[in-house]
Amino acid sequence: MDPVEETPEVVMGAYGGPARRVESGASETMLLWGLGQPASHRPNAFARQGLPAFPIDACGRRLTLHQQPSSFRGASGVTGAVVWDSAVVLAKFLEHAADAGLLSVRGARAVDLGAGCGLVSAVAALLGARVVATDLPDRVRLLRKNLEENVPVGGGAGGSARVAELVWGEEYELDPELLLWLDQEAEPPELVLGSDVVYSEEAVGDLLATLCRLAGPRTTVLLAGELRNDVVVECFLEAAMGEFEIGCIEQEQWHPDFRTNRVAIFILIKKKKKKKKKVSSP
């Protein structure tokens, strides 16, 4: 058997730790599923989706996120009504990386996509980021309640969290709240965050269009996803590689108490546009 060629580790964007460069969607999914065997590990290693509230310690305080298990189990299957492992892993990764001095969160402007119950947004705000937490119009009520109850005014480290509606895709207008915030800043956000946002092939195009709209040349995108379907993950990676450099942050860089083979963390940096050469007329 030929030895597996090691993919070089690189430092990408605002994250100062190593990331393994993703060479192709197919090779990455083979690696994640072949070596990690996510299906053999139990789901919900950290989440407690049957409870009306999910408690977790983060940033020196106890957070309590309200959940709506009945909405999740109902016909609509509203995934944003409960906390998922990917949100827990990403939130604790942000805290761990910030504490280690590998990720500058304090003072950063961040947009959280598909924020759900708001765990990632809350932790980013408590670490000092100015966060706009976004989700579909019918899901922002629970999101807003959780952020109001878990993020004090000032965020504890100068951070803040506000809520805006956001439907992914090129054809949808940005929520005036988010649009005004982006216009006032005049620059794209330093961080774009997302947990469990890669869940179906049908949504890949709209998600990628939204990432391209929000991200600038100095934006670091951090996405944590649960490894349920290798076809969906490969589809997203292959599509995203046209616009972004992509790396996978290995578990050794995560919070040591919040690691599972059912989740992966990807880091994306927008590719530099190649300048077209001027063709001189004869």
Side-chain angles (χ1 to χ4, degrees):
M1 182 180 293
D2 295 333
V4 178
E5 184 178 344
E6 292 188 5
T7 305
E9 291 187 336
V10 293
V11 174
M12 301 179 67
Y15 178 58
R20 175 174 47 76
R21 187 182 297 278
V22 173
E23 302 290 352
S24 75
S27 62
E28 184 64 24
T29 52
M30 286 179 63
L31 187 63
L32 291 172
W33 266 263
L35 294 182
Q37 296 291 317
S40 65
H41 296 261
R42 73 180 183 91
N44 296 332
F46 313 115
R48 298 293 180 267
Q49 296 174 343
L51 301 177
F54 173 73
I56 185 171
D57 293 325
C59 305
R61 65 177 65 225
R62 169 57 64 100
L63 305 183
T64 302
L65 286 303
H66 297 286
Q67 302 188 117
Q68 296 175 336
S70 59
S71 296
F72 170 60
R73 293 170 182 159
S76 61
V78 180
T79 55
V82 293
V83 176
W84 293 85
D85 273 359
S86 56
V88 178
V89 168
L90 182 57
K92 295 302 290 186
F93 167 77
L94 293 176
E95 181 183 17
H96 183 65
D99 288 347
L102 294 175
L103 183 65
S104 180
V105 181
R106 187 166 189 165
R109 295 159 301 133
V111 176
D112 187 10
L113 299 177
C117 292
L119 175 57
V120 172
S121 295
V123 169
L126 291 171
L127 291 170
R130 291 178 288 153
V131 184
V132 175
T134 68
D135 214 321
L136 295 171
D138 62 342
R139 303 179 193 179
V140 296
R141 185 177 178 182
L142 178 64
L143 173 60
R144 183 175 286 110
K145 179 180 181 180
N146 279 331
L147 292 179
E148 288 175 349
E149 293 186 5
N150 288 280
V151 180
V153 177
S160 61
R162 66 176 71 182
V163 175
E165 298 174 1
L166 179 60
V167 180
W168 301 345
E170 291 181 343
E171 66 271 28
Y172 296 103
E173 293 297 325
L174 295 178
D175 182 285
E177 178 87 3
L178 177 58
L179 193 60
L180 177 63
W181 183 77
L182 290 172
D183 284 348
Q184 287 176 336
E185 299 295 341
E187 291 286 340
E190 284 85 13
L191 294 172
V192 173
L193 310 170
S195 59
D196 218 26
V197 292
V198 180
Y199 53 83
S200 76
E201 289 183 77
E202 292 74 16
V204 163
D206 288 339
L207 171 59
L208 187 56
T210 301
L211 288 174
C212 290
R213 292 181 73 182
L214 292 175
R218 287 185 287 275
T219 301
T220 299
V221 181
L222 290 167
L223 303 180
E226 306 218 9
L227 302 178
R228 303 184 188 91
N229 188 317
D230 58 337
V231 174
V232 174
V233 174
E234 180 179 343
C235 175
F236 169 75
L237 292 175
E238 289 292 349
M241 289 180 72
E243 299 290 338
F244 293 89
E245 300 287 348
I246 306 177
C248 182
I249 300 176
E250 304 276 25
Q251 287 191 34
E252 289 76 10
Q253 306 300 317
W254 303 4
H255 191 292
D257 297 331
F258 294 89
R259 297 174 179 174
T260 169
N261 285 16
R262 290 187 66 93
V263 174
I265 298 180
F266 295 106
I267 181 168
L268 292 79
I269 306 297
K270 208 165 191 179
K271 288 183 176 179
K272 295 180 180 179
K273 296 291 185 182
K274 293 183 180 179
K275 294 182 178 180
K276 295 182 179 180
K277 294 182 179 180
K278 292 184 178 180
V279 180
S280 56
S281 55

